Amino acid sequence: MRIRSCGPADLPVLLEIFYQSVHLACTGEYTPAQLDAWAPAEPDFASWGDSLRREIFLTAEENGSLLGFAALEEDYLDLLYVRPDYLRRGIASALCGALEHRCPETRIYVHASKTSRPFFEARGYRIVRPQQVERRGQVLTNFVMEKELIGWT
């Protein structure tokens, strides 16, 4: 597996990973309507393209297949998604670690879903506060979490 930067040509696969990850890995914590609001079947390509240009996007790739991706905007870990058939194989840890090392600040933040909260807690993130966010008319709970990066290697 190798970690590399993402480009515009990766966007269709990233969106498929995002959709599948949300709709298959998060079913125990969110309702079908919430999952559809979070990851709609018809994504906003323009908005994703803007994020791809503005943020640091990395993907994990093996034998030409994208297995997951993550994005960082300054000190905010914006996205971290892995193909459901590749969960628990170290892909999220590798992507998260790569972005933590690229974070220009001494603290990194994430808005962790109910599903991803244990992953981030195991990596040393602490909950700052739970929050409710609105997506396409649905309210979802997630957690603002932070990790101190001073002296971290």
PDB file of all heavy atoms in Angstrom, residues 60-88:
ATOM      1  N   ALA A  60      -4.929   6.109  -0.140  1.00  0.00           N
ATOM      2  CA  ALA A  60      -4.180   4.865   0.023  1.00  0.00           C
ATOM      3  C   ALA A  60      -4.484   4.019  -1.212  1.00  0.00           C
ATOM      4  O   ALA A  60      -5.652   3.811  -1.559  1.00  0.00           O
ATOM      5  CB  ALA A  60      -4.608   4.146   1.293  1.00  0.00           C
ATOM      6  N   GLU A  61      -3.431   3.559  -1.848  1.00  0.00           N
ATOM      7  CA  GLU A  61      -3.579   2.841  -3.108  1.00  0.00           C
ATOM      8  C   GLU A  61      -2.802   1.537  -3.040  1.00  0.00           C
ATOM      9  O   GLU A  61      -1.704   1.472  -2.482  1.00  0.00           O
ATOM     10  CB  GLU A  61      -3.038   3.719  -4.235  1.00  0.00           C
ATOM     11  CG  GLU A  61      -3.150   3.136  -5.607  1.00  0.00           C
ATOM     12  CD  GLU A  61      -2.592   4.082  -6.654  1.00  0.00           C
ATOM     13  OE1 GLU A  61      -1.430   4.517  -6.498  1.00  0.00           O
ATOM     14  OE2 GLU A  61      -3.312   4.384  -7.603  1.00  0.00           O
ATOM     15  N   GLU A  62      -3.386   0.507  -3.631  1.00  0.00           N
ATOM     16  CA  GLU A  62      -2.693  -0.778  -3.708  1.00  0.00           C
ATOM     17  C   GLU A  62      -3.052  -1.434  -5.036  1.00  0.00           C
ATOM     18  O   GLU A  62      -4.242  -1.571  -5.362  1.00  0.00           O
ATOM     19  CB  GLU A  62      -3.103  -1.670  -2.529  1.00  0.00           C
ATOM     20  CG  GLU A  62      -2.323  -2.960  -2.438  1.00  0.00           C
ATOM     21  CD  GLU A  62      -2.630  -3.695  -1.151  1.00  0.00           C
ATOM     22  OE1 GLU A  62      -3.707  -4.322  -1.084  1.00  0.00           O
ATOM     23  OE2 GLU A  62      -1.805  -3.624  -0.231  1.00  0.00           O
ATOM     24  N   ASN A  63      -2.050  -1.803  -5.798  1.00  0.00           N
ATOM     25  CA  ASN A  63      -2.248  -2.444  -7.100  1.00  0.00           C
ATOM     26  C   ASN A  63      -3.207  -1.648  -7.989  1.00  0.00           C
ATOM     27  O   ASN A  63      -4.056  -2.219  -8.667  1.00  0.00           O
ATOM     28  CB  ASN A  63      -2.750  -3.876  -6.919  1.00  0.00           C
ATOM     29  CG  ASN A  63      -1.764  -4.735  -6.177  1.00  0.00           C
ATOM     30  OD1 ASN A  63      -0.557  -4.602  -6.327  1.00  0.00           O
ATOM     31  ND2 ASN A  63      -2.276  -5.625  -5.334  1.00  0.00           N
ATOM     32  N   GLY A  64      -3.081  -0.321  -7.950  1.00  0.00           N
ATOM     33  CA  GLY A  64      -3.905   0.532  -8.793  1.00  0.00           C
ATOM     34  C   GLY A  64      -5.305   0.808  -8.266  1.00  0.00           C
ATOM     35  O   GLY A  64      -6.057   1.549  -8.894  1.00  0.00           O
ATOM     36  N   SER A  65      -5.682   0.223  -7.128  1.00  0.00           N
ATOM     37  CA  SER A  65      -7.014   0.451  -6.553  1.00  0.00           C
ATOM     38  C   SER A  65      -6.926   1.405  -5.370  1.00  0.00           C
ATOM     39  O   SER A  65      -6.040   1.251  -4.514  1.00  0.00           O
ATOM     40  CB  SER A  65      -7.622  -0.871  -6.056  1.00  0.00           C
ATOM     41  OG  SER A  65      -7.880  -1.722  -7.125  1.00  0.00           O
ATOM     42  N   LEU A  66      -7.841   2.356  -5.323  1.00  0.00           N
ATOM     43  CA  LEU A  66      -7.910   3.266  -4.188  1.00  0.00           C
ATOM     44  C   LEU A  66      -8.692   2.579  -3.070  1.00  0.00           C
ATOM     45  O   LEU A  66      -9.793   2.084  -3.291  1.00  0.00           O
ATOM     46  CB  LEU A  66      -8.579   4.579  -4.575  1.00  0.00           C
ATOM     47  CG  LEU A  66      -7.953   5.350  -5.731  1.00  0.00           C
ATOM     48  CD1 LEU A  66      -8.601   6.718  -5.871  1.00  0.00           C
ATOM     49  CD2 LEU A  66      -6.462   5.484  -5.562  1.00  0.00           C
ATOM     50  N   LEU A  67      -8.095   2.561  -1.878  1.00  0.00           N
ATOM     51  CA  LEU A  67      -8.690   1.857  -0.739  1.00  0.00           C
ATOM     52  C   LEU A  67      -9.340   2.801   0.258  1.00  0.00           C
ATOM     53  O   LEU A  67     -10.186   2.383   1.051  1.00  0.00           O
ATOM     54  CB  LEU A  67      -7.622   1.031  -0.022  1.00  0.00           C
ATOM     55  CG  LEU A  67      -6.787   0.108  -0.902  1.00  0.00           C
ATOM     56  CD1 LEU A  67      -5.739  -0.606  -0.067  1.00  0.00           C
ATOM     57  CD2 LEU A  67      -7.669  -0.869  -1.648  1.00  0.00           C
ATOM     58  N   GLY A  68      -8.912   4.048   0.255  1.00  0.00           N
ATOM     59  CA  GLY A  68      -9.441   5.043   1.183  1.00  0.00           C
ATOM     60  C   GLY A  68      -8.823   6.385   0.884  1.00  0.00           C
ATOM     61  O   GLY A  68      -7.906   6.488   0.065  1.00  0.00           O
ATOM     62  N   PHE A  69      -9.341   7.416   1.561  1.00  0.00           N
ATOM     63  CA  PHE A  69      -8.792   8.752   1.360  1.00  0.00           C
ATOM     64  C   PHE A  69      -9.027   9.584   2.610  1.00  0.00           C
ATOM     65  O   PHE A  69      -9.849   9.259   3.465  1.00  0.00           O
ATOM     66  CB  PHE A  69      -9.400   9.425   0.128  1.00  0.00           C
ATOM     67  CG  PHE A  69     -10.846   9.816   0.282  1.00  0.00           C
ATOM     68  CD1 PHE A  69     -11.189  11.110   0.658  1.00  0.00           C
ATOM     69  CD2 PHE A  69     -11.862   8.903   0.052  1.00  0.00           C
ATOM     70  CE1 PHE A  69     -12.520  11.473   0.803  1.00  0.00           C
ATOM     71  CE2 PHE A  69     -13.189   9.256   0.189  1.00  0.00           C
ATOM     72  CZ  PHE A  69     -13.523  10.548   0.574  1.00  0.00           C
ATOM     73  N   ALA A  70      -8.282  10.677   2.693  1.00  0.00           N
ATOM     74  CA  ALA A  70      -8.401  11.605   3.809  1.00  0.00           C
ATOM     75  C   ALA A  70      -8.036  12.994   3.319  1.00  0.00           C
ATOM     76  O   ALA A  70      -7.318  13.141   2.330  1.00  0.00           O
ATOM     77  CB  ALA A  70      -7.479  11.188   4.953  1.00  0.00           C
ATOM     78  N   ALA A  71      -8.549  14.016   4.021  1.00  0.00           N
ATOM     79  CA  ALA A  71      -8.271  15.395   3.638  1.00  0.00           C
ATOM     80  C   ALA A  71      -8.034  16.250   4.875  1.00  0.00           C
ATOM     81  O   ALA A  71      -8.658  16.047   5.918  1.00  0.00           O
ATOM     82  CB  ALA A  71      -9.433  15.963   2.822  1.00  0.00           C
ATOM     83  N   LEU A  72      -7.128  17.205   4.724  1.00  0.00           N
ATOM     84  CA  LEU A  72      -6.765  18.128   5.794  1.00  0.00           C
ATOM     85  C   LEU A  72      -6.867  19.556   5.272  1.00  0.00           C
ATOM     86  O   LEU A  72      -6.360  19.862   4.195  1.00  0.00           O
ATOM     87  CB  LEU A  72      -5.326  17.858   6.257  1.00  0.00           C
ATOM     88  CG  LEU A  72      -4.772  18.748   7.359  1.00  0.00           C
ATOM     89  CD1 LEU A  72      -5.394  18.397   8.708  1.00  0.00           C
ATOM     90  CD2 LEU A  72      -3.250  18.599   7.434  1.00  0.00           C
ATOM     91  N   GLU A  73      -7.524  20.417   6.054  1.00  0.00           N
ATOM     92  CA  GLU A  73      -7.567  21.843   5.749  1.00  0.00           C
ATOM     93  C   GLU A  73      -7.025  22.574   6.973  1.00  0.00           C
ATOM     94  O   GLU A  73      -7.686  22.653   8.003  1.00  0.00           O
ATOM     95  CB  GLU A  73      -8.988  22.308   5.445  1.00  0.00           C
ATOM     96  CG  GLU A  73      -9.029  23.752   5.020  1.00  0.00           C
ATOM     97  CD  GLU A  73     -10.401  24.180   4.522  1.00  0.00           C
ATOM     98  OE1 GLU A  73     -11.398  23.501   4.793  1.00  0.00           O
ATOM     99  OE2 GLU A  73     -10.453  25.221   3.848  1.00  0.00           O
ATOM    100  N   GLU A  74      -5.785  23.037   6.847  1.00  0.00           N
ATOM    101  CA  GLU A  74      -5.050  23.683   7.944  1.00  0.00           C
ATOM    102  C   GLU A  74      -4.951  22.727   9.133  1.00  0.00           C
ATOM    103  O   GLU A  74      -4.230  21.752   9.052  1.00  0.00           O
ATOM    104  CB  GLU A  74      -5.665  25.035   8.274  1.00  0.00           C
ATOM    105  CG  GLU A  74      -5.592  25.986   7.093  1.00  0.00           C
ATOM    106  CD  GLU A  74      -6.067  27.375   7.402  1.00  0.00           C
ATOM    107  OE1 GLU A  74      -6.061  27.767   8.573  1.00  0.00           O
ATOM    108  OE2 GLU A  74      -6.429  28.072   6.444  1.00  0.00           O
ATOM    109  N   ASP A  75      -5.697  22.989  10.230  1.00  0.00           N
ATOM    110  CA  ASP A  75      -5.608  22.108  11.398  1.00  0.00           C
ATOM    111  C   ASP A  75      -6.860  21.239  11.565  1.00  0.00           C
ATOM    112  O   ASP A  75      -7.129  20.707  12.627  1.00  0.00           O
ATOM    113  CB  ASP A  75      -5.371  22.920  12.676  1.00  0.00           C
ATOM    114  CG  ASP A  75      -6.506  23.874  12.998  1.00  0.00           C
ATOM    115  OD1 ASP A  75      -7.406  24.066  12.147  1.00  0.00           O
ATOM    116  OD2 ASP A  75      -6.500  24.437  14.110  1.00  0.00           O
ATOM    117  N   TYR A  76      -7.638  21.104  10.498  1.00  0.00           N
ATOM    118  CA  TYR A  76      -8.901  20.372  10.541  1.00  0.00           C
ATOM    119  C   TYR A  76      -8.840  19.151   9.636  1.00  0.00           C
ATOM    120  O   TYR A  76      -8.698  19.274   8.413  1.00  0.00           O
ATOM    121  CB  TYR A  76     -10.045  21.306  10.112  1.00  0.00           C
ATOM    122  CG  TYR A  76     -11.387  20.642  10.019  1.00  0.00           C
ATOM    123  CD1 TYR A  76     -11.955  19.991  11.108  1.00  0.00           C
ATOM    124  CD2 TYR A  76     -12.099  20.665   8.823  1.00  0.00           C
ATOM    125  CE1 TYR A  76     -13.194  19.383  11.010  1.00  0.00           C
ATOM    126  CE2 TYR A  76     -13.341  20.067   8.716  1.00  0.00           C
ATOM    127  CZ  TYR A  76     -13.881  19.423   9.815  1.00  0.00           C
ATOM    128  OH  TYR A  76     -15.100  18.817   9.712  1.00  0.00           O
ATOM    129  N   LEU A  77      -8.921  17.975  10.227  1.00  0.00           N
ATOM    130  CA  LEU A  77      -8.977  16.726   9.472  1.00  0.00           C
ATOM    131  C   LEU A  77     -10.418  16.608   8.973  1.00  0.00           C
ATOM    132  O   LEU A  77     -11.309  16.237   9.720  1.00  0.00           O
ATOM    133  CB  LEU A  77      -8.586  15.544  10.365  1.00  0.00           C
ATOM    134  CG  LEU A  77      -8.116  14.297   9.646  1.00  0.00           C
ATOM    135  CD1 LEU A  77      -7.348  13.411  10.591  1.00  0.00           C
ATOM    136  CD2 LEU A  77      -9.216  13.562   8.970  1.00  0.00           C
ATOM    137  N   ASP A  78     -10.623  16.976   7.732  1.00  0.00           N
ATOM    138  CA  ASP A  78     -11.958  17.142   7.181  1.00  0.00           C
ATOM    139  C   ASP A  78     -12.607  15.823   6.784  1.00  0.00           C
ATOM    140  O   ASP A  78     -13.805  15.636   6.981  1.00  0.00           O
ATOM    141  CB  ASP A  78     -11.876  18.082   5.966  1.00  0.00           C
ATOM    142  CG  ASP A  78     -13.232  18.412   5.389  1.00  0.00           C
ATOM    143  OD1 ASP A  78     -14.238  18.310   6.105  1.00  0.00           O
ATOM    144  OD2 ASP A  78     -13.287  18.808   4.202  1.00  0.00           O
ATOM    145  N   LEU A  79     -11.849  14.920   6.216  1.00  0.00           N
ATOM    146  CA  LEU A  79     -12.408  13.677   5.679  1.00  0.00           C
ATOM    147  C   LEU A  79     -11.480  12.508   5.980  1.00  0.00           C
ATOM    148  O   LEU A  79     -10.257  12.656   5.900  1.00  0.00           O
ATOM    149  CB  LEU A  79     -12.575  13.779   4.159  1.00  0.00           C
ATOM    150  CG  LEU A  79     -13.430  14.929   3.627  1.00  0.00           C
ATOM    151  CD1 LEU A  79     -13.185  15.125   2.137  1.00  0.00           C
ATOM    152  CD2 LEU A  79     -14.893  14.646   3.889  1.00  0.00           C
ATOM    153  N   LEU A  80     -12.062  11.348   6.271  1.00  0.00           N
ATOM    154  CA  LEU A  80     -11.299  10.105   6.426  1.00  0.00           C
ATOM    155  C   LEU A  80     -12.263   8.954   6.181  1.00  0.00           C
ATOM    156  O   LEU A  80     -13.130   8.669   7.009  1.00  0.00           O
ATOM    157  CB  LEU A  80     -10.676  10.003   7.817  1.00  0.00           C
ATOM    158  CG  LEU A  80      -9.887   8.727   8.110  1.00  0.00           C
ATOM    159  CD1 LEU A  80      -8.718   8.560   7.134  1.00  0.00           C
ATOM    160  CD2 LEU A  80      -9.377   8.734   9.540  1.00  0.00           C
ATOM    161  N   TYR A  81     -12.130   8.323   5.014  1.00  0.00           N
ATOM    162  CA  TYR A  81     -13.045   7.256   4.621  1.00  0.00           C
ATOM    163  C   TYR A  81     -12.259   6.111   3.987  1.00  0.00           C
ATOM    164  O   TYR A  81     -11.324   6.341   3.222  1.00  0.00           O
ATOM    165  CB  TYR A  81     -14.091   7.777   3.620  1.00  0.00           C
ATOM    166  CG  TYR A  81     -15.013   8.780   4.263  1.00  0.00           C
ATOM    167  CD1 TYR A  81     -14.760  10.145   4.174  1.00  0.00           C
ATOM    168  CD2 TYR A  81     -16.120   8.363   4.995  1.00  0.00           C
ATOM    169  CE1 TYR A  81     -15.582  11.070   4.786  1.00  0.00           C
ATOM    170  CE2 TYR A  81     -16.949   9.285   5.616  1.00  0.00           C
ATOM    171  CZ  TYR A  81     -16.673  10.627   5.508  1.00  0.00           C
ATOM    172  OH  TYR A  81     -17.482  11.544   6.130  1.00  0.00           O
ATOM    173  N   VAL A  82     -12.692   4.895   4.292  1.00  0.00           N
ATOM    174  CA  VAL A  82     -12.050   3.688   3.780  1.00  0.00           C
ATOM    175  C   VAL A  82     -13.133   2.795   3.176  1.00  0.00           C
ATOM    176  O   VAL A  82     -14.258   2.723   3.705  1.00  0.00           O
ATOM    177  CB  VAL A  82     -11.313   2.939   4.920  1.00  0.00           C
ATOM    178  CG1 VAL A  82     -10.762   1.605   4.441  1.00  0.00           C
ATOM    179  CG2 VAL A  82     -10.195   3.812   5.474  1.00  0.00           C
ATOM    180  N   ARG A  83     -12.785   2.129   2.089  1.00  0.00           N
ATOM    181  CA  ARG A  83     -13.720   1.170   1.489  1.00  0.00           C
ATOM    182  C   ARG A  83     -14.158   0.175   2.562  1.00  0.00           C
ATOM    183  O   ARG A  83     -13.318  -0.362   3.287  1.00  0.00           O
ATOM    184  CB  ARG A  83     -13.056   0.414   0.343  1.00  0.00           C
ATOM    185  CG  ARG A  83     -12.947   1.204  -0.916  1.00  0.00           C
ATOM    186  CD  ARG A  83     -12.282   0.476  -2.045  1.00  0.00           C
ATOM    187  NE  ARG A  83     -12.538  -0.963  -2.087  1.00  0.00           N
ATOM    188  CZ  ARG A  83     -11.939  -1.794  -2.938  1.00  0.00           C
ATOM    189  NH1 ARG A  83     -11.076  -1.330  -3.812  1.00  0.00           N
ATOM    190  NH2 ARG A  83     -12.214  -3.071  -2.916  1.00  0.00           N
ATOM    191  N   PRO A  84     -15.454  -0.095   2.668  1.00  0.00           N
ATOM    192  CA  PRO A  84     -15.933  -1.004   3.715  1.00  0.00           C
ATOM    193  C   PRO A  84     -15.290  -2.387   3.682  1.00  0.00           C
ATOM    194  O   PRO A  84     -15.089  -3.001   4.731  1.00  0.00           O
ATOM    195  CB  PRO A  84     -17.439  -1.095   3.454  1.00  0.00           C
ATOM    196  CG  PRO A  84     -17.767   0.198   2.783  1.00  0.00           C
ATOM    197  CD  PRO A  84     -16.550   0.526   1.941  1.00  0.00           C
ATOM    198  N   ASP A  85     -14.921  -2.873   2.512  1.00  0.00           N
ATOM    199  CA  ASP A  85     -14.294  -4.197   2.425  1.00  0.00           C
ATOM    200  C   ASP A  85     -12.810  -4.168   2.796  1.00  0.00           C
ATOM    201  O   ASP A  85     -12.145  -5.206   2.779  1.00  0.00           O
ATOM    202  CB  ASP A  85     -14.496  -4.816   1.038  1.00  0.00           C
ATOM    203  CG  ASP A  85     -14.056  -3.923  -0.116  1.00  0.00           C
ATOM    204  OD1 ASP A  85     -14.051  -2.686   0.045  1.00  0.00           O
ATOM    205  OD2 ASP A  85     -13.723  -4.464  -1.183  1.00  0.00           O
ATOM    206  N   TYR A  86     -12.298  -2.995   3.172  1.00  0.00           N
ATOM    207  CA  TYR A  86     -10.904  -2.868   3.598  1.00  0.00           C
ATOM    208  C   TYR A  86     -10.769  -2.272   4.999  1.00  0.00           C
ATOM    209  O   TYR A  86      -9.692  -1.833   5.381  1.00  0.00           O
ATOM    210  CB  TYR A  86     -10.097  -2.026   2.593  1.00  0.00           C
ATOM    211  CG  TYR A  86      -9.650  -2.834   1.408  1.00  0.00           C
ATOM    212  CD1 TYR A  86     -10.497  -3.046   0.334  1.00  0.00           C
ATOM    213  CD2 TYR A  86      -8.389  -3.425   1.382  1.00  0.00           C
ATOM    214  CE1 TYR A  86     -10.103  -3.811  -0.747  1.00  0.00           C
ATOM    215  CE2 TYR A  86      -7.986  -4.183   0.307  1.00  0.00           C
ATOM    216  CZ  TYR A  86      -8.851  -4.379  -0.759  1.00  0.00           C
ATOM    217  OH  TYR A  86      -8.457  -5.147  -1.823  1.00  0.00           O
ATOM    218  N   LEU A  87     -11.842  -2.275   5.762  1.00  0.00           N
ATOM    219  CA  LEU A  87     -11.785  -1.756   7.135  1.00  0.00           C
ATOM    220  C   LEU A  87     -10.912  -2.651   8.007  1.00  0.00           C
ATOM    221  O   LEU A  87     -10.775  -3.848   7.764  1.00  0.00           O
ATOM    222  CB  LEU A  87     -13.195  -1.665   7.724  1.00  0.00           C
ATOM    223  CG  LEU A  87     -14.116  -0.623   7.090  1.00  0.00           C
ATOM    224  CD1 LEU A  87     -15.520  -0.746   7.665  1.00  0.00           C
ATOM    225  CD2 LEU A  87     -13.572   0.780   7.296  1.00  0.00           C
ATOM    226  N   ARG A  88     -10.327  -2.054   9.037  1.00  0.00           N
ATOM    227  CA  ARG A  88      -9.524  -2.746  10.045  1.00  0.00           C
ATOM    228  C   ARG A  88      -8.264  -3.404   9.457  1.00  0.00           C
ATOM    229  O   ARG A  88      -7.838  -4.457   9.894  1.00  0.00           O
ATOM    230  CB  ARG A  88     -10.352  -3.768  10.810  1.00  0.00           C
ATOM    231  CG  ARG A  88     -11.569  -3.132  11.481  1.00  0.00           C
ATOM    232  CD  ARG A  88     -12.210  -4.029  12.481  1.00  0.00           C
ATOM    233  NE  ARG A  88     -13.509  -3.654  12.939  1.00  0.00           N
ATOM    234  CZ  ARG A  88     -13.913  -2.489  13.402  1.00  0.00           C
ATOM    235  NH1 ARG A  88     -13.099  -1.496  13.450  1.00  0.00           N
ATOM    236  NH2 ARG A  88     -15.144  -2.285  13.823  1.00  0.00           N
TER     237      ARG A  88
END
